[in-house]
Amino acid sequence: MAFSFRKPVWCIFLLCVCFSGCFLQKEPEPIVFDNTEPLALIPHVKWAVIKDSYSAFHAEANWESKVNSYCRSGEICRILGNRTTVNASGVSEVWLKVEKGWIPENAVSVCYNLYNAKSVSEKLMQ
């Protein structure tokens, strides 16, 4: 018996195989957001993830000021403000104000929402 596409059984079978992907789609999983932090997705709120293994929060936006506290890699802080300063060598530096004090911008990764900051933090902790 020769193979032929002219028989209606084969045509119906091929059509079923071709169109089965259109009808048997998996339901998309719902996106669930953690609502415990109300500022997590606010557009103008930025988050800092400490990327240095060990860093300090200063009382003012300069290296000579008193140290308020310390932090480790992966810690997440909400950025409250920033300041550009010029050090003794004439080089400008950007400092970020967080709840615990001031930290230089080059010691952190700046993220534009809390979920991105958590993802960056997890990668740093590995």
Side-chain angles (χ1 to χ4, degrees), residues 46-57 63 71-79 81-82 94-98 101-111 117 120 124:
K46 296 180 185 170
W47 301 85
V49 180
I50 309 302
K51 62 183 181 181
D52 288 348
S53 57
Y54 191 71
S55 195
F57 294 111
W63 292 104
C71 58
R72 293 192 174 271
S73 178
E75 187 173 325
I76 300 172
C77 306
R78 185 167 60 100
I79 298 173
N82 62 28
V94 177
W95 288 76
L96 302 175
K97 174 71 173 157
V98 297
W102 291 88
I103 190 161
E105 185 180 48
N106 61 3
V108 303
S109 291
V110 176
C111 300
V120 170
L124 286 171

Side-chain angles (χ1 to χ4, degrees), residues 11-26:
C11 292
I12 294 171
F13 175 74
L14 286 176
L15 285 173
C16 289
V17 170
C18 290
F19 291 109
S20 66
C22 298
F23 302 109
L24 301 175
Q25 293 183 356
K26 185 177 164 184

Side-chain angles (χ1 to χ4, degrees), residues 32-87:
V32 179
F33 287 111
D34 178 10
N35 293 329
T36 57
E37 177 58 59
L39 300 174
L41 292 172
I42 303 289
H44 64 277
V45 176
K46 296 180 185 170
W47 301 85
V49 180
I50 309 302
K51 62 183 181 181
D52 288 348
S53 57
Y54 191 71
S55 195
F57 294 111
H58 293 266
E60 296 296 325
N62 63 55
W63 292 104
E64 292 78 29
S65 69
K66 179 185 121 187
V67 173
N68 287 347
S69 64
Y70 297 94
C71 58
R72 293 192 174 271
S73 178
E75 187 173 325
I76 300 172
C77 306
R78 185 167 60 100
I79 298 173
L80 304 174
N82 62 28
R83 182 179 296 162
T84 302
T85 62
V86 179
N87 64 16

